[in-house]
Amino acid sequence: MREILTQLIRRPEGRANPSHAHKASSQPLWRSSGHIFYLLDTLKLCYQSQAGMVTYERVAEESLAPLCRELAKGNWTQPRSTANVPSLFSISVCAVSWEQLAGQSRVKAIPDAATFRFEDIDFMASEAKFQSPYRQCDDIATPLSDVGGFDKQVRRLHNISLSDFILILQECNHAVPRDLQKALHVQPDNFAYRFTDRETRMLGKLGGLVQS
């Protein structure tokens, strides 16, 4: 766990954001700061039931374990194994990172920045995944818990507890410089929708063309 934590909070020097590596050299390149800040008030709990996927949003940290134990007592849960880990429950969190260019900074939202999946909250059979701030894209269609091993910008950690997972998020946050934290204006409401207003309008236009 300590090795993963070190990789997450380390800031490589002089490394360009891979998402812009394909652009012409004449164009200005936004470079990732290497920092990532997890918004712990966006913690989301999902579980698979016999009726489909159920989601609890903005769950308080102290409520996660009791809620999972209460749900596990019911008869409506239906676990499904992924990569040999029964993924009955998954806990995910949103985050932000920063990109810099010529003394300017901009915030990059990461809707599904880290996830923790498990069958039983009181056992260590689990898998945690963390997106790197240098990841080329944020897949809005595939949950991070289902991203395959081919994605080298997603770091994995197995058989840790929920408290370990939360501790990693908190320590990563503590490593972010205070000046970046003070300039942070992102709130949980910014993650209420997967698409921006502009993207929603574009999708609406495409939907109209398809129907016509």
Side-chain angles (χ1 to χ4, degrees):
M1 183 181 73
R2 181 59 54 183
E3 180 181 352
I4 291 283
L5 178 59
T6 301
Q7 292 176 0
L8 286 171
I9 65 178
R10 183 176 57 195
R11 183 185 180 186
E13 296 295 335
R15 181 176 179 180
N17 188 329
S19 63
H20 301 289
H22 66 283
K23 294 185 178 180
S25 58
S26 59
Q27 296 180 347
L29 297 179
W30 285 90
R31 299 177 182 272
S32 174
S33 69
H35 296 293
I36 189 167
F37 188 89
Y38 296 98
L39 303 172
L40 296 180
D41 48 0
T42 65
L43 285 168
K44 179 173 66 175
L45 172 67
C46 297
Y47 75 94
Q48 295 161 358
S49 74
Q50 296 178 13
M53 184 66 72
V54 179
T55 301
Y56 291 84
E57 295 189 352
R58 302 188 190 182
V59 183
E61 296 174 38
E62 61 273 13
S63 300
L64 285 170
L67 179 57
C68 290
R69 294 188 185 100
E70 186 65 27
L71 292 171
K73 293 178 182 178
N75 297 319
W76 292 98
T77 56
Q78 185 173 342
R80 174 177 60 86
S81 293
T82 302
N84 299 319
V85 177
S87 54
L88 174 60
F89 296 102
S90 68
I91 295 170
S92 61
V93 64
C94 303
V96 296
S97 63
W98 290 264
E99 294 179 332
Q100 300 171 334
L101 173 65
Q104 296 181 320
S105 295
R106 67 181 184 184
V107 175
K108 172 187 174 184
I110 308 177
D112 198 10
T115 188
F116 177 72
R117 64 187 180 98
F118 55 95
E119 182 179 20
D120 192 314
I121 192 66
D122 294 313
F123 289 89
M124 295 292 285
S126 65
E127 180 186 58
K129 293 183 180 180
F130 305 87
Q131 282 199 52
S132 164
Y134 300 101
R135 194 175 183 216
Q136 293 186 15
C137 64
D138 304 311
D139 192 334
I140 61 175
T142 303
L144 182 61
S145 57
D146 294 334
V147 172
F150 60 88
D151 194 329
K152 302 304 181 183
Q153 295 298 328
V154 175
R155 289 152 183 161
R156 293 163 176 79
L157 196 60
H158 292 89
N159 300 329
I160 65 171
S161 65
L162 174 60
S163 59
D164 290 333
F165 177 71
I166 297 295
L167 179 61
I168 290 174
L169 304 182
Q170 292 173 338
E171 293 201 19
C172 285
N173 286 354
H174 291 157
V176 175
R178 290 189 177 275
D179 59 327
L180 292 179
Q181 293 188 39
K182 290 180 179 179
L184 184 60
H185 301 293
V186 179
Q187 302 296 327
D189 288 339
N190 294 111
F191 295 89
Y193 302 98
R194 284 289 191 177
F195 300 98
T196 64
D197 292 339
R198 179 175 177 274
E199 291 168 337
T200 301
R201 290 194 297 270
M202 292 177 62
L203 289 172
K205 292 179 180 179
L206 288 174
L209 292 174
V210 171
Q211 292 177 0
S212 61

